[in-house]
Amino acid sequence: MKLITAIITPQKLDDVRQALSGLSVTGLTATDVRGCGRQKGHREVYRGAEYEVQFTPKVKVEVAVPSALADRVVEVLVEAANTDRIGAGKIFVQSIETAVRIRTGEQGEQAL
């Protein structure tokens, strides 16, 4: 099993959710986060005063999938989350040792 974590722009969240639904990925977790990378923030003007925003708002999407599906999920995430601009995001893939569904006690891929 794999845990795929994608850091994406907030406006792409619905596109990502729909794209994952097309792969029969039924569960995901989305968290509002802030971060910085190559984008290095940006300048904004508020009530006539200019200030620098060093951390840009992003969404962290986490999805656990069977190992056989991981590469396809990454491909779909790249397509759905791409903005063709700096700051579009990153994807990380990690191995999962085990998963347990609390309600039923199912383990492994059955718990996904």
Side-chain angles (χ1 to χ4, degrees):
M1 295 175 292
K2 301 290 183 180
L3 176 64
I4 300 173
T5 303
I7 310 297
I8 63 171
T9 58
Q11 66 267 24
K12 288 295 192 168
L13 180 58
D14 286 334
D15 295 340
V16 164
R17 188 192 55 76
Q18 289 175 354
L20 290 174
S21 293
L23 287 179
S24 299
V25 174
T26 56
L28 66 83
T29 301
T31 309
D32 291 325
V33 296
R34 296 183 312 148
C36 64
R38 287 186 185 170
Q39 195 173 6
K40 296 196 180 16
H42 61 277
R43 293 192 170 278
E44 288 189 6
V45 176
Y46 180 71
R47 293 188 177 186
E50 187 175 304
Y51 63 98
E52 188 171 334
V53 177
Q54 294 185 359
F55 292 96
T56 57
K58 302 287 181 180
V59 174
K60 178 167 71 170
V61 177
E62 297 173 300
V63 59
V65 298
S67 295
L69 189 58
D71 289 339
R72 184 66 185 128
V73 168
V74 169
E75 290 173 11
V76 166
L77 284 170
V78 168
E79 291 173 17
N82 191 0
T83 62
D84 288 327
R85 294 184 304 181
I86 192 167
K90 295 261 192 310
I91 299 173
F92 306 97
V93 181
Q94 303 171 46
S95 294
I96 297 176
E97 188 173 323
T98 190
V100 178
R101 185 183 311 256
I102 294 174
R103 180 177 55 86
T104 63
E106 293 173 298
Q107 295 188 14
E109 288 187 11
Q110 291 78 25
L112 298 179

XYZ file of all heavy atoms in Angstrom:
848
model
N 0.839 -1.184 0.000
C 0.000 0.000 0.000
C 0.878 1.239 0.000
O 1.995 1.206 0.509
C -0.890 0.005 1.240
C -1.906 -1.112 1.288
S -2.817 -1.130 2.832
C -1.550 -1.587 3.971
N 0.356 2.315 -0.549
C 1.089 3.575 -0.635
C 0.240 4.716 -0.085
O -0.979 4.741 -0.256
C 1.453 3.899 -2.084
C 2.304 2.859 -2.777
C 3.699 2.829 -2.224
C 4.549 1.831 -2.996
N 5.910 1.768 -2.484
N 0.906 5.655 0.570
C 0.287 6.905 0.988
C 0.809 7.981 0.050
O 2.015 8.221 -0.020
C 0.640 7.255 2.434
C 0.109 8.606 2.924
C -1.422 8.598 2.935
C 0.649 8.926 4.300
N -0.095 8.598 -0.679
C 0.277 9.647 -1.623
C -0.169 10.970 -1.034
O -1.342 11.159 -0.713
C -0.353 9.396 -3.001
C 0.127 8.040 -3.536
C -0.018 10.531 -3.958
C -0.542 7.595 -4.800
N 0.785 11.876 -0.874
C 0.526 13.207 -0.339
C 0.808 14.217 -1.436
O 1.899 14.233 -2.006
C 1.439 13.493 0.868
O 1.238 12.475 1.847
C 1.132 14.846 1.475
N -0.176 15.037 -1.733
C -0.020 16.076 -2.756
C -0.255 17.431 -2.108
O -1.246 17.619 -1.399
C -1.003 15.857 -3.902
N 0.660 18.349 -2.336
C 0.498 19.740 -1.907
C 0.114 20.511 -3.168
O 0.904 20.597 -4.110
C 1.796 20.309 -1.301
C 2.362 19.373 -0.230
C 1.569 21.717 -0.777
C 1.483 19.175 0.966
N -1.103 21.049 -3.196
C -1.641 21.666 -4.413
C -2.206 23.049 -4.112
O -2.371 23.427 -2.952
C -2.733 20.779 -5.047
C -3.931 20.628 -4.102
C -2.170 19.410 -5.413
C -5.136 19.951 -4.713
N -2.527 23.777 -5.164
C -3.180 25.069 -4.993
C -4.648 24.838 -4.638
O -5.269 23.885 -5.114
C -3.072 25.925 -6.268
O -3.658 25.209 -7.352
C -1.632 26.252 -6.591
N -5.222 25.700 -3.791
C -6.602 25.482 -3.335
C -7.630 25.390 -4.461
O -8.571 24.612 -4.373
C -6.871 26.698 -2.439
C -5.529 27.135 -1.973
C -4.595 26.842 -3.115
N -7.444 26.148 -5.536
C -8.446 26.146 -6.599
C -8.477 24.838 -7.387
O -9.403 24.598 -8.146
C -8.263 27.342 -7.548
C -6.991 27.332 -8.350
C -5.864 28.088 -7.697
O -5.840 28.270 -6.493
N -4.900 28.522 -8.489
N -7.495 23.975 -7.204
C -7.446 22.705 -7.922
C -8.021 21.536 -7.121
O -8.065 20.410 -7.608
C -6.001 22.377 -8.326
C -5.476 23.249 -9.441
C -6.272 22.966 -10.693
C -5.645 23.566 -11.923
N -6.265 23.050 -13.142
N -8.481 21.773 -5.900
C -8.962 20.689 -5.047
C -10.145 19.945 -5.668
O -10.168 18.709 -5.681
C -9.328 21.210 -3.658
C -9.846 20.159 -2.672
C -8.836 19.036 -2.469
C -10.214 20.809 -1.357
N -11.128 20.650 -6.179
C -12.285 19.978 -6.781
C -11.891 19.163 -8.005
O -12.390 18.053 -8.203
C -13.377 20.989 -7.147
C -14.113 21.512 -5.925
O -14.160 20.797 -4.904
O -14.642 22.629 -5.996
N -10.980 19.694 -8.826
C -10.503 18.947 -9.992
C -9.816 17.653 -9.565
O -10.015 16.600 -10.173
C -9.524 19.791 -10.820
C -10.180 21.003 -11.445
O -11.417 21.021 -11.570
O -9.444 21.937 -11.813
N -9.009 17.730 -8.518
C -8.301 16.549 -8.016
C -9.288 15.529 -7.472
O -9.190 14.334 -7.760
C -7.260 16.958 -6.940
C -6.793 15.766 -6.134
C -6.089 17.664 -7.594
N -10.273 15.975 -6.697
C -11.267 15.050 -6.138
C -12.032 14.334 -7.246
O -12.228 13.122 -7.200
C -12.233 15.786 -5.223
C -13.168 14.852 -4.458
C -14.299 15.596 -3.788
N -15.076 16.412 -4.698
C -15.982 15.941 -5.553
N -16.214 14.661 -5.630
N -16.662 16.751 -6.332
N -12.447 15.072 -8.268
C -13.168 14.458 -9.379
C -12.289 13.476 -10.141
O -12.740 12.394 -10.536
C -13.702 15.532 -10.321
C -14.840 16.321 -9.727
C -15.294 17.465 -10.630
O -14.682 17.744 -11.654
N -16.366 18.136 -10.237
N -11.033 13.827 -10.353
C -10.123 12.948 -11.082
C -9.882 11.656 -10.309
O -9.852 10.569 -10.896
C -8.805 13.665 -11.352
N -9.736 11.751 -9.002
C -9.538 10.551 -8.192
C -10.794 9.685 -8.159
O -10.709 8.456 -8.140
C -9.098 10.924 -6.777
C -7.690 11.501 -6.658
C -7.428 11.957 -5.229
C -6.655 10.493 -7.105
N -11.959 10.307 -8.174
C -13.207 9.547 -8.227
C -13.279 8.709 -9.498
O -13.798 7.599 -9.478
C -14.418 10.481 -8.171
O -14.495 11.113 -6.930
N -12.728 9.223 -10.588
C -12.692 8.487 -11.840
C -11.839 7.239 -11.776
O -11.992 6.327 -12.594
N -10.934 7.163 -10.800
C -10.103 5.972 -10.600
C -10.671 5.063 -9.512
O -10.015 4.125 -9.088
C -8.682 6.381 -10.182
C -7.785 6.985 -11.233
C -6.438 7.340 -10.620
C -7.595 6.030 -12.391
N -11.872 5.363 -9.045
C -12.516 4.625 -7.949
C -11.766 4.777 -6.633
O -11.829 3.895 -5.772
C -12.681 3.148 -8.300
O -13.506 3.019 -9.433
N -11.050 5.881 -6.461
C -10.445 6.210 -5.178
C -11.516 6.961 -4.399
O -11.884 8.079 -4.751
C -9.173 7.072 -5.349
C -8.639 7.522 -4.002
C -8.128 6.308 -6.134
N -12.030 6.318 -3.363
C -13.216 6.857 -2.691
C -12.910 7.731 -1.487
O -13.762 8.497 -1.071
C -14.123 5.705 -2.237
O -13.365 4.829 -1.400
C -14.662 4.941 -3.425
N -11.734 7.605 -0.897
C -11.447 8.374 0.300
C -10.194 9.209 0.167
O -9.203 8.770 -0.416
N -10.256 10.418 0.682
C -9.077 11.275 0.732
C -9.232 12.224 1.900
O -10.332 12.433 2.393
C -8.846 12.021 -0.583
C -9.847 13.073 -1.048
C -9.611 14.423 -0.395
C -9.726 13.248 -2.539
N -8.131 12.781 2.325
C -8.123 13.786 3.379
C -7.528 15.056 2.796
O -6.485 15.010 2.149
C -7.268 13.318 4.580
O -7.811 12.099 5.077
C -7.261 14.359 5.682
N -8.192 16.175 3.011
C -7.702 17.465 2.531
C -7.551 18.404 3.728
O -8.461 18.529 4.542
C -8.654 18.068 1.509
N -6.387 19.034 3.821
C -6.077 19.937 4.923
C -5.566 21.251 4.365
O -4.722 21.252 3.469
C -4.969 19.326 5.818
O -5.322 17.993 6.167
C -4.767 20.137 7.070
N -6.073 22.366 4.879
C -5.544 23.674 4.496
C -4.197 23.868 5.169
O -4.078 23.713 6.393
C -6.494 24.794 4.906
C -7.787 24.792 4.107
O -7.736 24.448 2.911
O -8.836 25.126 4.675
N -3.186 24.191 4.383
C -1.836 24.413 4.899
C -1.262 25.667 4.256
O -1.826 26.223 3.315
C -0.911 23.192 4.626
C -1.403 21.969 5.377
C -0.792 22.909 3.150
N -0.115 26.124 4.767
C 0.613 27.239 4.171
C 2.054 26.816 4.031
O 2.578 26.085 4.861
C 0.529 28.492 5.048
C -0.874 29.030 5.184
C -0.950 30.297 5.989
N -0.211 30.187 7.247
C 0.392 31.195 7.830
N 0.371 32.382 7.283
N 1.031 31.030 8.973
N 2.710 27.274 2.976
C 4.096 26.893 2.797
C 4.828 27.814 1.849
O 4.259 28.741 1.280
N 6.122 27.530 1.699
C 6.926 28.288 0.762
C 7.893 27.336 0.073
O 8.247 26.299 0.610
C 7.687 29.416 1.449
S 8.900 28.850 2.650
N 8.282 27.688 -1.116
C 9.216 26.898 -1.901
C 9.881 27.825 -2.902
O 10.247 28.948 -2.568
N 10.006 27.373 -4.128
C 10.608 28.222 -5.159
C 9.799 29.487 -5.396
O 10.327 30.498 -5.819
C 10.715 27.448 -6.477
C 11.785 26.415 -6.463
C 11.933 25.808 -7.823
N 12.897 24.716 -7.784
C 13.091 23.886 -8.764
N 12.397 23.988 -9.867
N 13.981 22.928 -8.648
N 8.518 29.410 -5.128
C 7.636 30.553 -5.342
C 8.036 31.727 -4.447
O 7.874 32.876 -4.802
C 6.198 30.129 -5.044
C 5.151 31.068 -5.540
C 3.765 30.495 -5.346
O 3.575 29.449 -4.737
N 2.780 31.179 -5.864
N 8.546 31.444 -3.259
C 9.059 32.438 -2.313
C 8.074 33.551 -1.977
O 8.445 34.693 -1.788
C 10.364 33.041 -2.827
C 11.478 32.017 -2.939
C 12.798 32.690 -3.060
C 13.984 31.827 -3.171
N 13.976 30.495 -3.480
N 6.802 33.219 -1.904
C 5.812 34.210 -1.512
C 5.498 35.203 -2.620
O 5.886 35.027 -3.763
N 4.790 36.255 -2.251
C 4.421 37.294 -3.213
C 4.048 38.567 -2.451
O 3.896 38.557 -1.242
C 3.258 36.810 -4.096
C 2.013 36.500 -3.328
N 1.804 35.301 -2.695
C 0.917 37.243 -3.087
C 0.622 35.314 -2.108
N 0.069 36.486 -2.322
N 3.912 39.653 -3.179
C 3.539 40.931 -2.580
C 2.062 41.185 -2.820
O 1.526 40.872 -3.869
C 4.355 42.067 -3.184
C 5.821 41.994 -2.830
C 6.500 43.315 -3.207
N 7.841 43.365 -2.681
C 8.137 43.705 -1.430
N 7.183 44.034 -0.594
N 9.388 43.739 -1.025
N 1.414 41.767 -1.803
C 0.009 42.140 -1.906
C -0.159 43.554 -1.373
O 0.663 44.040 -0.596
C -0.878 41.183 -1.102
C -0.997 39.819 -1.733
C -2.042 38.959 -1.047
O -2.756 39.446 -0.145
O -2.151 37.786 -1.431
N -1.246 44.188 -1.779
C -1.578 45.524 -1.297
C -2.901 45.432 -0.545
O -3.876 44.886 -1.057
C -1.696 46.530 -2.466
C -2.132 47.888 -1.951
C -0.390 46.620 -3.219
N -2.904 45.929 0.688
C -4.109 45.925 1.507
C -4.302 47.316 2.076
O -3.435 47.834 2.793
C -3.988 44.894 2.633
C -5.194 44.831 3.531
C -6.390 44.288 3.075
C -5.151 45.339 4.823
C -7.498 44.227 3.885
C -6.252 45.283 5.650
C -7.425 44.724 5.174
O -8.538 44.674 5.981
N -5.402 47.953 1.710
C -5.716 49.316 2.154
C -4.573 50.277 1.892
O -4.174 51.063 2.756
C -6.106 49.323 3.622
C -7.404 48.606 3.878
C -7.855 48.788 5.290
N -9.150 48.141 5.469
C -9.856 48.212 6.554
N -9.408 48.916 7.584
N -11.000 47.606 6.647
N -3.987 50.152 0.727
C -2.940 51.065 0.302
C -1.543 50.718 0.781
O -0.571 51.326 0.358
N -1.430 49.758 1.685
C -0.115 49.371 2.199
C 0.330 48.074 1.530
O -0.447 47.119 1.427
C -0.166 49.178 3.710
N 1.571 48.066 1.068
C 2.106 46.872 0.421
C 2.829 46.023 1.459
O 3.542 46.530 2.320
C 3.087 47.278 -0.684
C 3.562 46.112 -1.518
C 4.432 46.558 -2.684
O 3.962 47.386 -3.480
O 5.568 46.071 -2.764
N 2.584 44.722 1.404
C 3.279 43.821 2.316
C 3.597 42.516 1.597
O 3.010 42.196 0.574
C 2.467 43.566 3.587
C 1.158 42.871 3.366
C 1.056 41.495 3.567
C 0.026 43.559 2.943
C -0.139 40.839 3.361
C -1.163 42.911 2.729
C -1.253 41.546 2.944
O -2.432 40.909 2.731
N 4.552 41.783 2.153
C 5.002 40.538 1.534
C 4.388 39.340 2.252
O 4.448 39.246 3.480
C 6.523 40.424 1.578
C 7.040 39.261 0.776
C 8.554 39.283 0.641
O 9.143 40.367 0.707
O 9.122 38.196 0.478
N 3.796 38.446 1.469
C 3.249 37.198 1.992
C 4.293 36.124 1.741
O 4.574 35.784 0.596
C 1.921 36.832 1.288
C 1.396 35.498 1.789
C 0.893 37.932 1.482
N 4.927 35.620 2.802
C 6.007 34.653 2.637
C 5.505 33.224 2.540
O 6.156 32.375 1.950
C 7.011 34.794 3.767
C 7.720 36.131 3.712
C 8.810 36.236 4.755
O 9.041 35.329 5.530
N 9.482 37.372 4.772
N 4.359 32.926 3.149
C 3.782 31.590 3.075
C 2.502 31.662 2.260
O 1.597 32.418 2.591
C 3.475 31.045 4.474
C 4.709 30.757 5.273
C 5.202 31.682 6.164
C 5.375 29.554 5.118
C 6.344 31.413 6.901
C 6.519 29.268 5.854
C 7.006 30.205 6.735
N 2.444 30.862 1.198
C 1.268 30.877 0.341
C 0.290 29.780 0.769
O 0.698 28.715 1.215
C 1.655 30.684 -1.134
O 2.387 29.466 -1.256
C 2.497 31.831 -1.633
N -1.007 30.039 0.643
C -1.992 29.020 1.020
C -1.975 27.860 0.027
O -1.908 28.071 -1.186
C -3.326 29.762 0.982
C -3.087 31.013 0.219
C -1.626 31.294 0.233
N -2.014 26.653 0.561
C -2.038 25.424 -0.235
C -3.023 24.461 0.408
O -3.538 24.706 1.491
C -0.649 24.758 -0.276
C 0.460 25.612 -0.832
C 0.348 25.778 -2.312
C 1.506 26.616 -2.834
N 1.427 26.804 -4.249
N -3.274 23.347 -0.250
C -4.086 22.267 0.291
C -3.246 21.003 0.242
O -2.638 20.698 -0.781
C -5.394 22.076 -0.501
C -6.158 20.853 -0.008
C -6.258 23.313 -0.407
N -3.203 20.280 1.371
C -2.514 18.993 1.405
C -3.567 17.906 1.256
O -4.497 17.810 2.057
C -1.747 18.817 2.718
C -1.047 17.465 2.802
C -0.044 17.382 3.930
C -0.684 17.329 5.276
N 0.274 17.011 6.361
N -3.429 17.108 0.194
C -4.346 16.007 -0.081
C -3.600 14.710 0.197
O -2.508 14.499 -0.326
C -4.834 16.039 -1.549
C -5.715 14.850 -1.847
C -5.560 17.345 -1.842
N -4.185 13.867 1.032
C -3.583 12.572 1.342
C -4.551 11.465 0.947
O -5.748 11.547 1.243
C -3.277 12.465 2.838
C -2.250 13.483 3.301
C -2.081 13.489 4.795
O -3.078 13.742 5.492
O -0.953 13.236 5.253
N -4.021 10.452 0.263
C -4.845 9.334 -0.169
C -4.029 8.051 -0.053
O -2.858 8.023 -0.428
C -5.373 9.558 -1.603
C -4.269 9.730 -2.593
C -6.307 8.455 -2.032
N -4.639 7.020 0.537
C -3.996 5.709 0.663
C -4.579 4.795 -0.411
O -5.805 4.708 -0.561
C -4.241 5.123 2.045
N -3.694 4.141 -1.165
C -4.131 3.296 -2.286
C -3.316 2.001 -2.312
O -2.216 1.951 -1.767
C -3.987 4.022 -3.641
C -4.863 5.255 -3.695
C -2.545 4.379 -3.923
N -3.854 0.961 -2.971
C -3.034 -0.240 -3.192
C -1.799 0.107 -4.022
O -1.849 0.992 -4.890
C -3.973 -1.175 -3.958
C -5.350 -0.672 -3.687
C -5.213 0.810 -3.476
N -0.705 -0.575 -3.798
C 0.549 -0.285 -4.510
C 0.387 -0.332 -6.022
O 0.989 0.459 -6.744
C 1.631 -1.269 -4.076
O 1.931 -1.081 -2.710
N -0.436 -1.251 -6.511
C -0.622 -1.397 -7.960
C -1.270 -0.173 -8.589
O -1.110 0.075 -9.789
C -1.461 -2.640 -8.247
N -1.996 0.609 -7.803
C -2.704 1.779 -8.320
C -1.914 3.073 -8.154
O -2.268 4.104 -8.725
C -4.062 1.882 -7.612
C -5.091 2.880 -8.100
C -5.438 2.639 -9.563
C -6.337 2.808 -7.249
N -0.827 3.052 -7.401
C -0.112 4.271 -7.015
C 0.396 5.079 -8.211
O 0.217 6.294 -8.254
C 1.038 3.947 -6.080
N 1.019 4.430 -9.177
C 1.558 5.171 -10.325
C 0.460 5.878 -11.109
O 0.626 7.026 -11.534
C 2.347 4.241 -11.249
C 3.661 3.785 -10.646
O 4.165 4.468 -9.727
O 4.185 2.743 -11.086
N -0.666 5.220 -11.283
C -1.779 5.835 -12.018
C -2.356 7.011 -11.240
O -2.703 8.037 -11.819
C -2.857 4.784 -12.307
C -3.997 5.294 -13.128
C -3.580 5.668 -14.548
N -4.711 6.267 -15.238
C -4.680 7.428 -15.872
N -3.550 8.102 -15.974
N -5.744 7.921 -16.438
N -2.439 6.877 -9.911
C -2.937 7.982 -9.078
C -2.019 9.192 -9.208
O -2.487 10.323 -9.355
C -3.091 7.541 -7.604
C -3.325 8.744 -6.693
C -4.220 6.546 -7.465
N -0.708 8.967 -9.198
C 0.241 10.074 -9.348
C 0.052 10.746 -10.708
O 0.027 11.981 -10.802
C 1.695 9.586 -9.153
C 2.684 10.661 -9.561
C 1.924 9.173 -7.708
N -0.104 9.970 -11.770
C -0.332 10.544 -13.107
C -1.580 11.414 -13.127
O -1.570 12.529 -13.669
C -0.483 9.429 -14.141
C 0.772 8.665 -14.444
C 0.511 7.462 -15.342
O -0.613 7.343 -15.890
O 1.425 6.635 -15.498
N -2.651 10.914 -12.542
C -3.915 11.657 -12.518
C -3.777 12.924 -11.686
O -4.302 13.979 -12.055
C -5.056 10.747 -12.006
C -6.283 11.544 -11.636
C -5.396 9.701 -13.053
N -3.059 12.840 -10.558
C -2.841 14.030 -9.737
C -2.062 15.096 -10.496
O -2.385 16.285 -10.426
C -2.102 13.665 -8.449
C -2.920 12.980 -7.372
C -2.013 12.466 -6.263
C -3.974 13.914 -6.813
N -1.027 14.689 -11.231
C -0.234 15.646 -12.008
C -1.116 16.343 -13.038
O -1.063 17.569 -13.200
C 0.971 14.947 -12.674
C 1.624 15.852 -13.701
C 1.982 14.516 -11.624
N -1.958 15.589 -13.719
C -2.847 16.179 -14.734
C -3.869 17.119 -14.104
O -4.087 18.224 -14.597
C -3.579 15.072 -15.494
C -2.696 14.240 -16.388
C -3.440 13.054 -16.984
O -4.697 13.054 -16.968
O -2.763 12.124 -17.453
N -4.504 16.685 -13.017
C -5.593 17.459 -12.423
C -5.113 18.687 -11.663
O -5.809 19.699 -11.615
C -6.410 16.564 -11.493
N -3.935 18.627 -11.055
C -3.463 19.722 -10.207
C -2.559 20.710 -10.939
O -2.208 21.751 -10.387
C -2.726 19.166 -8.992
N -2.177 20.416 -12.162
C -1.227 21.259 -12.887
C -1.824 22.626 -13.209
O -2.937 22.722 -13.719
C -0.788 20.572 -14.177
C 0.375 21.265 -14.830
O 0.875 22.267 -14.332
N 0.816 20.738 -15.939
N -1.069 23.675 -12.908
C -1.477 25.039 -13.246
C -0.555 25.653 -14.293
O -0.782 26.774 -14.719
C -1.447 25.950 -11.998
O -0.110 26.011 -11.503
C -2.388 25.447 -10.918
N 0.503 24.933 -14.678
C 1.517 25.440 -15.613
C 2.225 26.682 -15.094
O 2.757 27.461 -15.864
C 0.924 25.707 -16.996
C 0.602 24.436 -17.742
O 1.336 23.438 -17.557
O -0.376 24.424 -18.516
N 2.201 26.900 -13.783
C 2.889 28.035 -13.180
C 3.691 27.564 -11.983
O 3.395 26.532 -11.387
C 1.889 29.103 -12.728
C 1.150 29.750 -13.891
C 0.259 30.841 -13.422
N -0.672 30.303 -12.411
C -1.605 31.007 -11.821
N -1.748 32.263 -12.091
N -2.396 30.460 -10.934
N 4.681 28.336 -11.609
C 5.462 28.022 -10.425
C 4.525 28.012 -9.216
O 3.585 28.805 -9.141
C 6.628 29.030 -10.243
C 7.602 28.535 -9.202
C 6.115 30.402 -9.919
C 8.905 29.310 -9.198
N 4.751 27.075 -8.307
C 3.896 26.972 -7.130
C 2.735 26.016 -7.306
O 1.831 25.980 -6.475
N 2.717 25.228 -8.394
C 1.611 24.298 -8.634
C 1.575 23.188 -7.589
O 0.519 22.640 -7.308
C 1.705 23.700 -10.032
N 2.726 22.840 -7.008
C 2.716 21.876 -5.924
C 3.727 20.759 -6.074
O 4.579 20.770 -6.967
N 3.607 19.773 -5.190
C 4.495 18.616 -5.142
C 3.675 17.396 -4.778
O 2.621 17.496 -4.151
C 5.569 18.786 -4.066
C 6.560 19.896 -4.289
C 7.833 19.347 -4.861
C 8.983 20.322 -4.860
N 8.770 21.617 -5.386
N 4.213 16.214 -5.130
C 3.591 14.943 -4.762
C 4.660 14.075 -4.109
O 5.776 13.973 -4.623
C 3.003 14.225 -5.988
C 1.926 15.087 -6.641
C 2.451 12.852 -5.599
C 1.407 14.545 -7.960
N 4.298 13.453 -3.001
C 5.191 12.551 -2.286
C 4.506 11.195 -2.161
O 3.306 11.131 -1.890
C 5.507 13.081 -0.884
C 6.042 14.491 -0.891
C 5.211 15.576 -0.652
C 7.377 14.732 -1.156
C 5.699 16.871 -0.663
C 7.882 16.024 -1.171
C 7.042 17.097 -0.927
N 5.274 10.111 -2.344
C 4.735 8.754 -2.235
C 5.525 8.012 -1.164
O 6.752 7.981 -1.217
C 4.828 8.010 -3.587
C 4.253 6.609 -3.463
C 4.128 8.795 -4.686
N 4.796 7.424 -0.211
C 5.415 6.684 0.888
C 4.764 5.304 1.004
O 3.589 5.141 0.682
C 5.190 7.410 2.213
C 5.700 8.831 2.243
C 5.252 9.530 3.502
O 5.353 8.990 4.593
N 4.731 10.736 3.360
N 5.512 4.359 1.498
C 4.968 3.029 1.748
C 4.189 3.022 3.060
O 4.564 3.696 4.014
C 6.084 1.995 1.832
O 6.711 1.860 0.580
N 3.126 2.230 3.091
C 2.333 2.042 4.299
C 2.558 0.611 4.763
O 2.390 -0.332 3.986
C 0.831 2.260 4.034
C 0.559 3.683 3.592
C 0.010 1.905 5.270
C -0.889 3.935 3.230
N 2.912 0.455 6.012
C 3.138 -0.886 6.551
C 1.823 -1.629 6.743
O 1.686 -2.786 6.366
C 3.886 -0.789 7.880
C 4.328 -2.125 8.403
C 5.211 -1.974 9.618
O 6.017 -1.030 9.673
O 5.080 -2.820 10.517
N 0.840 -0.961 7.338
C -0.467 -1.583 7.513
C -1.526 -0.500 7.647
O -1.216 0.657 7.905
C -0.497 -2.528 8.740
O -1.711 -3.280 8.714
C -0.394 -1.761 10.038
N -2.768 -0.904 7.461
C -3.915 -0.021 7.656
C -4.991 -0.839 8.357
O -5.130 -2.034 8.099
C -4.431 0.499 6.320
N -5.742 -0.209 9.243
C -6.802 -0.892 9.980
C -8.057 -0.027 9.931
O -8.009 1.154 10.257
C -6.400 -1.143 11.453
C -7.528 -1.815 12.212
C -5.124 -1.949 11.535
N -9.166 -0.633 9.522
C -10.450 0.067 9.567
C -10.985 -0.100 10.992
O -11.221 -1.217 11.448
C -11.432 -0.514 8.559
C -12.749 0.254 8.491
C -13.727 -0.409 7.532
N -13.096 -0.706 6.269
C -13.263 -0.025 5.139
N -14.080 1.016 5.133
N -12.656 -0.375 4.035
N -11.163 0.983 11.700
C -11.528 0.939 13.106
C -12.878 0.255 13.316
O -13.026 -0.575 14.212
C -11.523 2.358 13.714
C -10.090 2.894 13.724
C -12.135 2.366 15.105
C -9.961 4.332 14.155
N -13.858 0.573 12.499
C -15.213 0.042 12.700
C -15.276 -1.471 12.604
O -15.922 -2.140 13.416
C -16.178 0.668 11.678
C -17.616 0.180 11.803
C -18.537 0.881 10.806
N -18.094 0.758 9.435
C -18.383 -0.277 8.628
N -19.094 -1.285 9.075
N -17.947 -0.290 7.379
N -14.588 -2.071 11.611
C -14.713 -3.507 11.363
C -13.488 -4.313 11.763
O -13.547 -5.533 11.823
C -14.965 -3.763 9.867
O -13.835 -3.298 9.121
C -16.237 -3.080 9.397
N -12.364 -3.636 11.957
C -11.134 -4.343 12.267
C -10.428 -4.901 11.040
O -9.403 -5.574 11.171
N -10.950 -4.626 9.836
C -10.286 -5.089 8.612
C -8.890 -4.503 8.541
O -8.665 -3.370 8.964
C -11.082 -4.662 7.378
C -12.431 -5.327 7.238
C -13.229 -4.722 6.102
O -13.529 -3.516 6.185
O -13.514 -5.447 5.151
N -7.958 -5.277 7.966
C -6.573 -4.836 7.867
C -6.068 -4.934 6.440
O -6.624 -5.641 5.622
C -5.685 -5.660 8.792
C -6.015 -5.454 10.255
C -5.018 -6.119 11.172
O -3.944 -6.528 10.742
N -5.349 -6.194 12.450
N -4.960 -4.208 6.194
C -4.337 -4.238 4.865
C -5.186 -3.524 3.829
O -5.905 -2.578 4.149
N -5.120 -3.989 2.577
C -5.843 -3.330 1.490
C -7.353 -3.376 1.676
O -8.072 -2.516 1.169
C -5.449 -3.942 0.142
C -4.051 -3.570 -0.283
C -3.711 -4.017 -1.690
O -4.625 -4.448 -2.428
O -2.532 -3.907 -2.064
N -7.873 -4.367 2.404
C -9.312 -4.425 2.672
C -9.776 -3.232 3.507
O -10.932 -2.857 3.470
C -9.692 -5.734 3.388
C -9.551 -6.960 2.539
C -8.102 -7.431 2.418
O -7.282 -7.155 3.293
N -7.787 -8.084 1.312
N -8.854 -2.650 4.263
C -9.209 -1.503 5.107
C -9.260 -0.203 4.314
O -9.789 0.791 4.806
C -8.187 -1.363 6.237
N -8.730 -0.198 3.103
C -8.740 1.023 2.309
C -10.126 1.250 1.753
O -10.579 2.284 1.488
C -7.716 0.950 1.180
C -6.254 0.803 1.606
C -5.371 0.727 0.392
C -5.840 1.941 2.501
